[in-house]
Amino acid sequence: MRRFASVLAIAALTVALAACSAANAEGPTGPAASVDPGAVHIDAKDIAFTQSSVKAPAGRAFQIVFNNQDGAPHNVTILGPDGSAAFTGDVVTASSTTYSVPALKAGSYRFRCDIHPNMTGTLVVQ
Ligand SMILES: [Cu+2]
């Protein structure tokens, strides 16, 4: 009878440990909970943006997941129709970051890297 109780205790412990590691699997190693599934994705590789044109919703804040795959530093700056910066993202090197972009009016914008102004793309806000 004592032996049966020990087996039960070990079984209960095993279940508790399994639940613990399952919770951990969705922690730091999983995608950040703060990234919107509808986020705009822009990648940089070989001193160029991978996407020549991306779309974002008009009139509401949105996120850009910027993945710089280069060893060179890059950022994403959004230029309004008048050429002024509507948003300037932080420079990152060989890493990914999530920018929070304020609401923009509908229209066609350009985005560029401030460090490499020949890296450009089009952001269609609609
Ligand atoms: Cu750059």
Side-chain angles (χ1 to χ4, degrees):
M1 198 60 189
R2 260 187 87 80
R3 191 190 153 104
F4 180 69
S6 309
V7 168
L8 270 186
I10 288 167
L13 191 64
T14 305
V15 168
L17 284 174
C20 219
S21 53
N24 283 345
E26 290 172 17
T29 53
S34 60
V35 176
D36 186 330
V40 175
H41 287 260
I42 298 177
D43 304 304
K45 194 174 193 298
D46 300 329
I47 321 292
F49 289 119
T50 305
Q51 297 82 355
S52 58
S53 182
V54 293
K55 288 177 182 171
R60 68 174 174 87
F62 63 96
Q63 292 180 327
I64 295 175
V65 177
F66 177 50
N67 183 14
N68 178 6
Q69 298 171 34
D70 279 340
H74 300 302
N75 79 332
V76 175
T77 284
I78 298 170
L79 302 174
D82 65 353
S84 68
F87 171 81
T88 301
D90 291 338
V91 173
V92 294
T93 303
S95 62
S96 181
T97 190
T98 301
Y99 298 139
S100 294
V101 183
L104 299 174
K105 282 191 264 185
S108 185
Y109 297 73
R110 285 176 58 241
F111 62 89
R112 70 150 191 240
C113 171
D114 285 329
I115 296 159
H116 307 98
N118 56 327
M119 285 176 65
T120 61
T122 302
L123 171 69
V124 178
V125 177
Q126 60 186 18

